[in-house]
Structures are given as C-alpha cells and as structure tokens.
C-alpha cells in the first residue's frame, strides 16, 4: 500500500503503522527526498481509516542525524528564493506530522541531532533508548534551529529550551527526559516493545475522539500556524545568507574548525 524510497511504512492487523526512516547508511539524515516523502506519508496515514496509531523510528544505528550533507551543500549554492522553498518543505513535513490525526509514538535510538530533535518533538509520546545522544547542533555551523523551533519550544517550554537551543552541546537520554523531549528511556533492546505498549491504550479508544482530543491540545497549546512557520523560514534563510553560515559549512566540509572556535 505504501511505497517510498527513503521510508518504510508497515501496518499490522490492529491498525498500528510503523513509519521507519530508511537511510541507515546516512544515519537517516533528511534529504530533499525524505522530507517530501515524510509529508506524503503523514498525509496518507492520516487519511487511512484503518490506521489507529503510528510509531516513528529509524533504521540502523541512528534515529536521525539531522539534515543531509548534500542537501546542505545545495542550500549554500541556491538563491534566497530557492532556500525559502526548500526550508518550507521541511517545515510542512514537520507540521504534517505534528497535526497527524492519529497518535504518533517516537522510538529513538543512537543519535538524534538537529532535525532529528524536531521529529522527536512532533511525536505525542517520545521514547528513547538509554544510550541515545541528542543535540541542536545548528549553531556550530552558523545556522539556527529555525524550522524545528516551534515544535521544540512547544515540547520543552522556553526556559528549558534555552539550556540547549543555542549551545549546540550534546546531551544524553536522561537529560532529554528532564528537558521534556523524552517521556522515558528504556534499554535499546526493549525500545520497540515499549513503543508498542504506548500504543495499546489507544486501541480501546474511539478513533474520532482521539483525533479530536489531539486537535484540541494543539488549539490550546502554543500557536504554530502559517505566520509562525513563515517567520522561522525567513529567520533560517537570513542565516544562510550570512557570513557565519558560509564559514561554518565550509569549515565542516573542509574538516577544520570555523574561525570563531576558541580553546580546545
């Protein structure tokens, strides 16, 4: 029923779908193709009446390493209008998952950086393997966690987000629980079983009521509408235009430290 190049989507007899990021050789970094397919998959799963709940996970060692390197290089070579269009595609993929009218359970292993933290933040419940490392690493490149920002702030709250939003430091699964990004941690070998256990209560609930209740939580929570999304896109495009992004990304691909790095 579902066929994608960068995703695997499977559904069982109960209507529990598993949406797996499937670029394990790239640590499931988000390419332009994956971003487009995430939007398609979210819309398809949302419209499928046989689907009662969705588990979001990643194949291989990592959940999601953030943006694909080739995608980043393309953005550096693009004009501002193209950058805006491409950033909007990522923002719309996140919004499609955030407004999915089905429970969305995240099951994260390995690493979740940048956009991977954004994906964790749009889940209704996010579980992490106890070895998980997370980080909003954009400022190391002279960029900012812009398009993922509304979802990260909604999940963590401003005060907790300030602890990790700007520093690009990595943090472990235990701190991710403290920050509100994860509901809890489990041993990696128990991760998918724990995600399945999170799904079970929903299978006793009226699907329409679950969808309405989820929609209401978003109506009552922080505003994430088209104006907010466009604001984050413009903020990101402005950073792409700046000298810091040019230096940060050139340093990254040149395997050197950018000029602003101080100390060890």
């Amino acid at each position: 029923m579902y066929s994608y190049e960068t995703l695997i989507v499977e559904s069982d007899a109960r209507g529990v779908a598993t949406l797996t990021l499937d670029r394990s050789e790239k640590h499931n970094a988000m390419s332009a193709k994956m971003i487009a397919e995430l939007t398609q998959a979210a819309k398809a799963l949302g419209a499928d009446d046989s689907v009662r709940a969705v588990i979001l996970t990643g194949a291989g060692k990592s959940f999601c390493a953030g943006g694909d390197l080739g995608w980043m290089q393309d953005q550096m070579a693009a004009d501002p209008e193209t950058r805006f269009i491409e950033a909007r595609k990522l923002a719309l993929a996140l919004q499609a998952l955030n407004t999915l009218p089905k429970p969305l359970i995240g099951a994260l292993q390995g690493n979740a950086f940048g956009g991977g933290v954004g994906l964790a933040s749009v889940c209704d419940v996010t579980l992490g393997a106890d070895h998980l490392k997370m980080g909003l690493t954009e400022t190391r490149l002279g960029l900012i966690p812009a398009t993922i920002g509304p979802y990260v702030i909604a999940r963590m709250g401003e005060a907790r987000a300030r602890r990790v939003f700007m520093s690009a430091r990595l943090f472990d699964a235990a701190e991710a629980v403290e920050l509100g990004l994860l509901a809890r941690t489990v041993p990696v070998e128990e991760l998918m079983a724990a995600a399945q256990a999170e799904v079970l209560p929903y299978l006793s609930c009226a699907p329409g009521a679950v969808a309405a209740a989820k929609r209401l939580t978003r109506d009552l929570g922080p505003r994430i509408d088209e104006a907010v999304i466009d604001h984050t896109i413009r903020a990101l495009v402005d950073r792409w235009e700046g000298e810091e992004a040019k230096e940060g990304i050139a340093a990254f691909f040149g395997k050197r430290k950018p000029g602003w790095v101080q100390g060890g």
Side-chain angles (χ1 to χ4, degrees):
M1 182 182 295
Y2 302 103
S3 179
Y4 304 100
E5 292 181 22
T6 66
L7 309 172
I8 299 172
V9 182
E10 300 172 316
S11 187
D12 66 21
R14 303 169 301 162
V16 178
T18 301
L19 170 57
T20 304
L21 309 181
D22 190 35
R23 300 185 75 225
S24 58
E25 75 285 358
K26 301 290 186 181
H27 294 274
N28 297 317
M30 288 189 286
S31 62
K33 185 67 173 178
M34 179 181 281
I35 290 167
E37 291 191 337
L38 279 169
T39 303
Q40 295 166 14
K43 291 180 177 179
L45 290 166
D48 188 340
D49 290 339
S50 71
V51 173
R52 299 285 298 273
V54 180
I55 295 172
L56 174 63
T57 192
K61 295 181 178 180
S62 295
F63 171 67
C64 177
D68 179 77
L69 301 183
W71 185 84
M72 287 202 302
Q73 286 182 312
D74 289 344
Q75 303 322 300
M76 285 306 300
D79 58 74
E81 182 179 356
T82 300
R83 289 173 181 161
F84 189 95
I85 292 170
E86 291 304 308
R88 186 170 182 79
K89 290 177 182 177
L90 174 57
L92 293 178
L94 292 167
Q95 184 70 325
L97 289 165
N98 193 52
T99 57
L100 181 74
K102 314 288 170 73
L104 182 61
I105 311 300
L108 282 56
Q109 83 288 1
N111 297 324
F113 300 147
V117 179
L119 291 174
S121 298
V122 300
C123 295
D124 300 304
V125 179
T126 308
L127 308 176
D130 51 16
H131 70 275
L132 180 68
K133 297 292 184 184
M134 304 184 78
L136 294 151
T137 53
E138 288 85 349
T139 53
R140 288 183 186 171
L141 299 174
L143 298 171
I144 54 176
T147 48
I148 66 173
Y151 310 100
V152 174
I153 301 297
R155 175 54 58 90
M156 287 199 277
E158 182 185 347
R160 287 183 293 188
R162 285 188 180 202
R163 289 169 47 182
V164 294
F165 201 77
M166 301 90 78
S167 68
R169 72 174 176 85
L170 304 187
F171 48 93
D172 62 19
E175 186 173 2
V177 173
E178 182 187 349
L179 289 166
L181 280 169
L182 300 180
R184 59 190 175 95
T185 66
V186 297
V188 66
E189 63 271 15
E190 299 174 14
L191 182 61
M192 293 310 293
Q196 289 287 347
E198 288 289 340
V199 164
L200 284 178
Y202 294 108
L203 302 181
S204 299
C205 299
V210 170
K214 180 171 179 175
R215 186 167 58 250
L216 182 60
T217 64
R218 286 302 319 124
D219 290 343
L220 298 175
R223 178 174 59 92
I224 305 177
D225 58 13
E226 187 171 349
V228 169
I229 290 171
D230 283 350
H231 175 68
T232 67
I233 295 169
R234 285 192 295 271
L236 179 59
V237 171
D238 286 347
R239 291 306 308 173
W240 278 107
E241 290 295 299
E243 292 302 315
E244 285 186 343
K246 295 174 185 176
E247 165 65 6
I249 292 172
F252 179 83
F253 284 109
K255 301 185 186 302
R256 62 174 175 84
K257 294 180 180 180
W260 57 72
V261 172
Q262 297 292 324

